[in-house]
């Protein structure tokens, strides 16, 4: 179960580049309103687990002229942005994963964009854009009867207007918005190609 109210605390305790992360998350959720930042438990292949930030919800894609929504979860490791997000497709009860060169049987997403992750040339917003293009060509989900899943009219592409922070009433989202106010900070290069904010 996600613990959304712990998001600011987890950001402060575990993420060195938390201002950059908050800024990237903010740029994504301002454009794609169905994606929400939460903290949840991620279980690694070795059985260990950790509370990590993730973006969860749906992204809009256009498949053969039809608008679809694809449920995804983008996990941010504590080393982000040095390492790319771990991305999964999240099937609903009525849908199943469609394996492809970009999605395995567990729904894990593997894209050239992730394989060639090089911040600041790559970021969360760019990742979502690439996923939209990729899944628009080949949907990663289908219903159990074989028809494409997620076919519906969506309005999640519409950007927000007015004061963004006023649209989020949850305390964790409000604090994330405050973290994202980094326009006055100067970017710093470090760790090779890594881009981060001094805190």
């Amino acid at each position: 179960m996600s613990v959304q109210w712990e998001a600011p605390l987890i950001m402060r305790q575990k993420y060195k580049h938390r201002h950059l992360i908050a800024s990237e998350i903010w740029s994504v959720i301002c454009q794609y309103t169905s994606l929400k930042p939460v903290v949840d438990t991620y279980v690694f292949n070795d059985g260990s687990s950790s509370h990590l930030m993730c973006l969860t919800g749906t992204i809009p894609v256009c498949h053969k002229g039809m608008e679809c929504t694809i449920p995804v979860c983008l996990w941010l490791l504590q080393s982000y942005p040095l390492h790319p997000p771990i991305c999964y497709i999240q099937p609903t009860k009525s849908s199943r994963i469609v394996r492809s060169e970009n999605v395995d049987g567990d729904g894990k997403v593997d894209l050239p964009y992730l394989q060639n992750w090089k911040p600041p040339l790559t970021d969360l917003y760019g990742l979502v854009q690439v996923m939209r293009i990729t899944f628009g060509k080949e949907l990663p989900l289908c219903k159990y009867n074989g028809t494409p899943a997620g076919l519906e009219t969506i309005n999640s592409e519409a950007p927000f207007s007015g004061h963004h922070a006023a649209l989020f009433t949850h305390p964790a989202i409000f604090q994330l918005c405050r973290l994202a106010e980094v326009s006055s900070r100067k970017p710093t290069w470090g760790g090779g190609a890594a881009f981060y904010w001094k805190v």
Side-chain angles (χ1 to χ4, degrees), residues 15-17 22-23 25 28-29 33 44 49 58 74 80 87 101-102 107 113 117 139 174 188 192 195 197:
Y15 289 92
K16 178 180 179 181
H17 310 305
S23 180
I25 289 176
V28 172
I29 63 179
T33 61
F44 295 91
S49 62
T58 60
L74 315 179
Y80 187 88
C87 307
E101 63 178 346
N102 298 309
Y113 191 85
W117 188 262
L139 291 178
F174 179 74
T188 303
F195 180 70
W197 298 98

Side-chain angles (χ1 to χ4, degrees), residues 163-184:
H163 194 326
H164 293 165
L167 299 176
F168 292 98
T169 57
H170 195 289
I173 303 298
F174 179 74
Q175 291 186 49
L176 181 67
C177 295
R178 293 185 63 186
L179 269 177
E181 294 175 358
V182 295
S183 58
S184 62

Side-chain angles (χ1 to χ4, degrees), residues 37-48:
V38 300
V39 173
D40 212 338
T41 301
Y42 183 82
V43 180
F44 295 91
N45 292 334
D46 62 2
S48 63

Side-chain angles (χ1 to χ4, degrees), residues 2-4 7 36-40 52-56 73 75 173:
S2 63
V3 281
Q4 189 171 349
K36 305 298 180 188
V38 300
V39 173
D40 212 338
L52 297 177
M53 286 291 300
C54 66
L55 273 177
T56 184
C73 189
W75 295 91
I173 303 298

Side-chain angles (χ1 to χ4, degrees), residues 48 68 80 84 92 97 105 108 111 124 162 178 186-188 199:
S48 63
C68 315
Y80 187 88
T92 62
I97 299 292
K108 188 174 183 180
L111 298 167
L124 285 177
R178 293 185 63 186
K186 294 183 178 180
T188 303
V199 179

Side-chain angles (χ1 to χ4, degrees), residues 60-73:
V61 304
C62 183
H63 177 70
K64 297 181 178 179
M66 297 178 291
E67 292 182 329
C68 315
T69 55
I70 304 299
V72 299
C73 189

